[in-house]
Structure formats: structure tokens, C-alpha cells
């Protein structure tokens, strides 16, 4: 879980840095945002499982 949290922060920082150079609708920004969404969904699913146990 700690690795996933670290990955979330890394991708979030990368997205913020990319947004300094590109528009929010740039395909690269959108792709990175979608990737971050996937990671956040994975994290959320792990949390749900841990609360059920």
C-alpha cells in the first residue's frame, strides 16, 4: 500500500509539472490524469477491502 501511495504522489507531481507547460486538454495531460485516476481507484479498492476484513 505504501508503494501505491508513493506512486500516486509521483504521478500527481508529474501532472502538476506537465500542466505548467501544457494546456489541461492536451492529450498528454489527459492521459496522465487518466493514469492517476486508475491508480487512485486501485488505492480506493484496496482501502475498501481492508475495511471489510
Amino acid at each position: 500500500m505504501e508503494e501505491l501511495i508513493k506512486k500516486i504522489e509521483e504521478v500527481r507531481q508529474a501532472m502538476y509539472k506537465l500542466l505548467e507547460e501544457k494546456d489541461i486538454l492536451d492529450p498528454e495531460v489527459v492521459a496522465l490524469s487518466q493514469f492517476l485516476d486508475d491508480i487512485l481507484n486501485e488505492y480506493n479498492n484496496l482501502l475498501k477491502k481492508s475495511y471489510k476484513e
Side-chain angles (χ1 to χ4, degrees), residues 20-36:
E20 291 175 1
E21 303 168 10
K22 302 189 181 236
D23 185 72
I24 196 166
L25 297 177
D26 184 279
E28 195 174 347
V29 174
V30 172
L32 195 55
S33 176
Q34 290 171 338
F35 180 60
L36 180 59

Side-chain angles (χ1 to χ4, degrees), residues 5-6 10 13 17 20-21 24 26 28-29 32-34 37 41 43-44 50 53:
I5 293 170
K6 184 177 178 185
E10 288 173 357
Q13 291 300 321
K17 186 173 182 179
E20 291 175 1
E21 303 168 10
I24 196 166
D26 184 279
E28 195 174 347
V29 174
L32 195 55
S33 176
Q34 290 171 338
D37 286 345
N41 286 335
Y43 178 74
N44 190 42
S50 69
E53 294 176 354

Side-chain angles (χ1 to χ4, degrees), residues 9-20:
E9 280 306 312
E10 288 173 357
V11 174
R12 185 178 290 156
Q13 291 300 321
M15 192 171 70
Y16 288 145
K17 186 173 182 179
L18 191 59
L19 281 168
E20 291 175 1

